[in-house]
């Protein structure tokens, strides 16, 4: 993410095939590789206090990541009715998330429906999708395409907006970058919770959601053997797209060796993006949505342009 928003040059245009790839990327299974970039959320101390208080990170932060990812993907790929229902569900449940932190956060008060906290989390999620696009696909977005990509995600996240003019999400990509940079500069802080979750990335717990208990027991030994490497990939890829100001707050020191490692992993992702079929690249909700849209186009392709009699058709 740049420190200063770029201005769209009048000669640059939105390329339809690029926006098609961006839309696919927003439903890609590769999004999980960059999931820890959302740790910027808990660099805002009241958010850290709230998440720490629930204890869900300590129990299994992989499960929390799965829940958050599924909710965001429903916002992006669900029907309008389902997006609205998910937005209302999240607002209703977050009414209970208010109070004072515990332990090192005992003096911190928070309310999840405070627009300053709520919008920070929403914008964080939008930027994870935006900033991971080029590493996954190898496609550089021009300024006009960045604006269009942001509008695409903003439309999906509208159902999450809180009521009130002052609670609106940034209206443009340029506004979002300015907002994000300002929060990084003036409000984010290093804190014990942020340090703990950063350190814990190479000890990723096995997600329990959607995995039957017998299967979890069977694959746990393999997971324990693989998780240091898996956590390393997630850490390097996530921190590779993270705002440098946030990365500094985590205590993780980014080196030239990390940059080379990041470039290797993203080259492999780009090869996979080009050669794998959509059925493997996309989450089922996104894949089925795109298949549905193809079928709609097929049905419409045989329709007449007019029901009026054809020219020269005899009458009577």
């Amino acid at each position: 993410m740049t420190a200063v928003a770029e201005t769209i040059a009048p000669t640059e245009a939105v390329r339809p095939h690029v926006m098609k790839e961006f839309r696919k990327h927003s439903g890609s299974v590769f999004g999980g590789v960059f999931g820890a970039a959302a740790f910027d959320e808990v660099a805002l101390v009241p958010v850290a206090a709230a998440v720490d208080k629930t204890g869900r990170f300590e129990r299994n932060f992989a499960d929390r990541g799965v829940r958050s990812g599924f909710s965001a993907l429903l916002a992006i790929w669900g029907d309008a009715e389902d997006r609205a229902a998910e937005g209302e569900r999240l607002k209703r449940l977050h009414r209970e998330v208010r109070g004072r932190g515990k332990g090192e956060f005992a003096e911190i008060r928070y309310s999840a429906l405070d627009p300053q906290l709520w919008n920070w989390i929403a914008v964080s999620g939008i930027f994870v999708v935006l900033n991971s696009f080029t590493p996954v696909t190898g496609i550089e977005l021009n300024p006009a395409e960045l604006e269009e990509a942001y509008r695409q995600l903003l439309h999906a996240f509208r159902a999450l907006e809180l009521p009130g003019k002052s609670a609106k999400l940034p209206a443009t990509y340029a506004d979002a970058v300015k907002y994000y940079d300002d929060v990084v500069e003036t409000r984010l802080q290093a804190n014990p919770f942020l340090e703990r979750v950063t350190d814990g990335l190479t000890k990723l717990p096995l997600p329990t959601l959607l995995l039957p208990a017998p299967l979890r027991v069977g694959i746990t030994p393999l997971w324990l053997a693989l998780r240091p490497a898996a956590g390393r990939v997630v850490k390097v890829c996530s921190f590779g797209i993270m705002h440098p100001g946030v990365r500094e707050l985590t205590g993780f020191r980014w080196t030239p060796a990390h940059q080379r490692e990041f470039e290797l992993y993203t080259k492999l992702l780009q090869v996979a993006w080009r050669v794998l079929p959509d059925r493997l690249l996309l989450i089922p909700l996104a894949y089925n949505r795109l298949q549905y849209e193809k079928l709609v186009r097929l049905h419409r392709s045989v329709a007449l342009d007019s029901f009026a009699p054809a020219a020269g058709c005899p009458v009577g």
Side-chain angles (χ1 to χ4, degrees), residues 28-306:
S28 168
V29 297
F30 292 153
V33 179
F34 301 89
F39 283 0
D40 57 0
E41 296 173 9
V42 293
L44 192 59
V45 173
V47 176
V51 177
D52 179 63
K53 183 72 173 287
T54 68
R56 294 192 187 97
F57 253 81
E58 282 73 12
R59 286 196 292 274
N60 190 318
F61 70 82
D63 279 351
R64 187 182 187 278
V66 170
R67 288 192 186 95
S68 296
F70 268 52
S71 180
L73 288 163
L74 183 57
I76 295 171
W77 287 95
D79 289 331
E81 295 83 357
D82 292 325
R83 292 200 304 269
E86 181 66 4
E88 288 307 309
R89 183 186 73 87
L90 290 174
K91 292 171 193 173
R92 174 173 49 82
L93 293 180
H94 278 89
R95 291 191 191 107
E96 305 169 15
V97 183
R98 57 187 300 146
R100 192 184 295 273
K102 64 178 184 178
E104 56 264 85
F105 298 112
E107 300 304 313
I108 304 298
R109 298 195 64 84
Y110 59 84
S111 171
L113 294 183
D114 178 341
Q116 294 185 347
L117 308 188
W118 187 266
N119 286 359
W120 173 244
I121 292 172
V123 172
S124 165
I126 287 173
F127 272 124
V128 170
V129 181
L130 285 170
N131 293 339
S132 59
F133 174 70
T134 298
V136 167
T137 66
I139 302 170
E140 294 279 351
L141 294 172
N142 67 39
E145 289 161 351
L146 276 170
E147 191 64 54
E148 179 62 26
Y150 179 78
R151 277 199 296 266
Q152 196 179 107
L153 295 174
L154 183 63
H155 173 73
F157 278 67
R158 282 294 187 200
L160 299 177
E161 280 188 324
L162 297 175
K165 186 176 180 180
S166 62
K168 297 297 181 185
L169 293 168
T172 68
Y173 175 74
D175 291 340
V177 171
K178 184 176 183 299
Y179 162 81
Y180 192 102
D181 288 343
D182 181 65
V183 173
V184 171
E185 184 177 346
T186 63
R187 301 201 61 200
L188 300 191
Q189 297 177 38
N191 63 75
F193 186 78
L194 177 60
E195 293 172 8
R196 287 202 302 274
V197 295
T198 299
D199 291 341
L201 271 173
T202 52
K203 300 175 184 177
L204 286 169
L206 179 66
T208 64
L209 300 174
L210 307 179
L211 292 178
L215 179 59
R216 291 201 303 271
V217 171
I219 65 176
T220 292
L222 178 61
W223 177 258
L224 292 176
L226 292 178
R227 73 177 182 177
R232 174 77 180 188
V233 172
V234 170
K235 193 169 193 175
V236 170
C237 288
S238 298
F239 281 62
I241 67 167
M242 190 177 279
H243 189 294
V246 178
R247 196 162 59 199
E248 184 72 20
L249 294 173
T250 67
F252 181 74
R253 297 296 171 256
W254 188 260
T255 67
H258 290 125
Q259 183 62 35
R260 291 191 295 271
E261 194 175 348
F262 175 73
E263 290 167 2
L264 171 63
Y265 296 151
T266 55
K267 288 295 183 186
L268 294 174
L269 288 173
Q270 290 164 25
V271 171
W273 184 262
R274 290 193 296 269
V275 302
L276 292 179
D278 285 353
R279 186 179 290 278
L280 296 179
L281 283 176
L282 304 178
I283 64 158
L285 185 62
Y287 178 77
N288 288 330
R289 167 65 64 184
L290 292 177
Q291 294 305 304
Y292 168 79
E293 291 173 0
K294 286 181 183 178
L295 290 173
V296 168
R297 289 194 294 272
L298 174 63
H299 280 252
R300 288 177 174 164
S301 70
V302 300
L304 293 171
D305 295 326
S306 170

